[in-house]
Amino acid sequence: MAKCVVWDLDDTLWHGTLSAGDDVTLKPGVLDLIRTLDARGILLSIASKNNHEDALRKLEELGVAEYFLYPQINWNSKSSSVSEIQKRLNIGLDTFLFVDDQPFERDEVAFALPEVETVDAADCLTLATLPRLSPPVVTEDAGRRRLMYLEDERRNESELSYQGPREDFLRSLDMVFRISRAGGDDLLRLEELTKRTSQLNSTGIHYSHEQLEKLMHDPGHDLWVCELTDRYGSYGKIGMALVAKDQDRWTIRMLLMSCRTVSKGVGTVLLAFLVKQAAASEKRLFADFRRTSRNRQMLLTYQLANFHVVSKDGDDHVYENDLSVSQEYPDYIKVEVNA
């Protein structure tokens, strides 16, 4: 699935060239398209060669400025602008689409960033019909995705202005990490997480709603979901764990966490919870891990949590935690468990 559409402005989002003094207007159908994609949880941004202040003022006048995250309006190459947006959003380049009316600009992006799909502005109204931009179900969290990024931007601005140790800033966020057994209302979001999360995903396996529902009711499995909130709002349901329970051993079949939460130091909390659960139940704890091109960060998370390889078959590894090291939660996060 695609996660972000990056727009050029002149003769793409609007008719005319702003710097030439044209009285630019949104192209017919573009406003409805923007609203449709935003409602689906598709992020939107801008890569335009224009005067920054003039273009932002015009976007405000046209009533669409609020829809675009981290707009890059400058005289740099379009590929460098797309790269900066990718860095700010912290999602894979292969989840981006770039829309421009100029073949040169599309070719420049395609050459520098071959993972990015380019789209001729003449075809932009077909975006709503593309399978990559048409999730079968839009969850509540997906519908709030842009707003959650805006909340995160305020967090980041607050951190940049904070004078003092970073842990003190994290403590000031009043973060609450809630871990619960998954319920029926969570399954659509968990299905979406398995499809959209790749960097912090231990196996890269996609689970359907039907598979997750079956596992949720299976006494031989635990399906956990976690949510993170702080004084700026909710990050939504940002992680899950699937644990297979045998008589004397538990195996983490999947562990994943939204990449949006990495900088807040919460990536290890769910794993620490599972280690504590296994130790209290006197079970050996294993974890499946499948190497992909994207999930090295999850591998490091396991290794730092005292998991060690016990077997491997190609890219498939099995790790074990001998439970000899007590796993503690960060003291700047309040952890609530609803087991």
Side-chain angles (χ1 to χ4, degrees):
M1 294 294 293
K3 298 181 182 180
C4 181
V5 177
V6 179
W7 295 78
D8 172 47
L9 292 177
D10 294 332
D11 290 318
T12 298
L13 192 77
W14 56 48
H15 281 301
T17 302
L18 186 65
S19 61
D22 295 343
D23 183 18
V24 301
T25 57
L26 289 176
K27 285 188 173 182
V30 164
L31 180 57
D32 287 341
L33 174 61
I34 288 171
R35 289 172 172 167
T36 295
L37 295 177
D38 179 71
R40 292 178 184 177
I42 306 298
L43 305 176
L44 305 171
S45 191
I46 291 169
S48 171
K49 292 180 179 178
N50 256 301
N51 179 275
H52 185 85
E53 290 75 16
D54 291 344
L56 280 185
R57 189 180 307 114
K58 181 55 66 174
L59 289 166
E60 292 280 0
E61 290 175 7
L62 295 172
V64 295
E66 64 183 298
Y67 290 102
F68 298 101
L69 300 173
Y70 305 114
Q72 300 300 300
I73 304 172
N74 49 52
W75 301 103
N76 300 331
S77 68
K78 296 293 181 71
S79 63
S80 64
S81 291
V82 173
S83 293
E84 181 62 23
I85 296 165
Q86 184 268 333
K87 178 181 176 183
R88 298 285 190 92
L89 294 177
N90 193 25
I91 56 179
L93 279 171
D94 59 347
T95 66
F96 276 73
L97 277 74
F98 170 68
V99 186
D100 201 295
D101 66 303
Q102 295 293 319
F104 170 81
E105 301 290 7
R106 298 196 302 272
D107 290 347
E108 189 272 329
V109 169
F111 178 80
L113 306 171
E115 307 98 322
V116 175
E117 181 179 350
T118 61
V119 178
D120 189 335
D123 301 323
C124 71
L125 295 185
T126 68
L127 290 177
T129 66
L130 295 181
R132 293 190 69 198
L133 296 172
S134 305
V137 176
V138 179
T139 65
E140 180 180 352
D141 281 355
R144 292 190 64 251
R145 186 162 288 123
R146 171 172 56 90
L147 299 179
M148 288 192 286
Y149 270 93
L150 290 173
E151 291 168 357
D152 209 37
E153 188 173 4
R154 291 196 290 273
R155 292 182 187 99
N156 293 336
E157 290 172 352
S158 178
E159 181 174 7
L160 287 174
S161 64
Y162 187 85
Q163 301 295 318
R166 187 166 189 276
E167 285 203 0
D168 287 351
F169 168 74
L170 293 175
R171 193 171 289 108
S172 76
L173 290 176
D174 298 327
M175 287 187 285
V176 179
F177 192 94
R178 297 182 177 89
I179 303 171
S180 308
R181 293 189 184 276
D185 293 341
D186 299 318
L187 297 184
L188 290 174
R189 173 57 178 160
L190 296 187
E191 178 185 22
E192 181 184 47
L193 277 173
T194 70
K195 292 179 177 178
R196 293 178 59 94
T197 306
S198 55
Q199 296 181 51
L200 286 173
N201 186 324
S202 62
T203 62
I205 296 173
H206 297 167
Y207 286 90
S208 69
H209 183 280
E210 292 74 19
Q211 289 172 316
L212 290 168
E213 185 172 35
K214 183 177 179 180
L215 290 165
M216 182 181 71
H217 294 294
D218 181 0
H221 289 83
D222 283 335
L223 183 59
W224 299 99
V225 60
C226 54
E227 178 181 7
L228 180 66
T229 61
D230 66 12
R231 60 187 171 93
Y232 289 95
S234 174
Y235 292 79
K237 303 291 175 60
I238 47 85
M240 65 169 282
L242 174 64
V243 181
K245 300 190 298 182
D246 295 315
Q247 186 172 1
D248 62 345
R249 59 185 279 167
W250 291 356
T251 303
I252 304 170
R253 297 296 185 195
M254 169 176 277
L255 183 78
L256 64 79
M257 192 72 60
S258 169
C259 56
R260 291 190 302 110
T261 64
V262 172
S263 64
K264 303 305 179 288
V266 303
T268 61
V269 175
L270 184 55
L271 191 54
F273 164 74
L274 297 176
V275 171
K276 288 177 178 290
Q277 288 277 104
S281 300
E282 299 182 340
K283 306 292 185 181
R284 297 178 68 186
L285 183 61
F286 295 83
D288 292 340
F289 182 83
R290 176 176 294 170
R291 278 183 175 272
T292 71
S293 61
R294 304 287 300 281
N295 67 354
R296 175 172 170 75
Q297 194 161 7
M298 180 58 82
L299 171 62
L300 295 175
T301 298
Y302 270 125
Q303 292 173 339
L304 291 172
N306 198 39
F307 281 80
H308 305 282
V309 175
V310 292
S311 68
K312 62 174 64 177
D313 181 10
D315 290 331
D316 291 328
H317 298 61
V318 177
Y319 282 79
E320 182 178 9
N321 188 312
D322 63 12
L323 308 180
S324 63
V325 178
S326 176
Q327 301 290 319
E328 301 302 328
Y329 303 131
D331 64 4
Y332 50 78
I333 299 173
K334 180 181 179 182
V335 178
E336 297 180 352
V337 178
N338 179 15

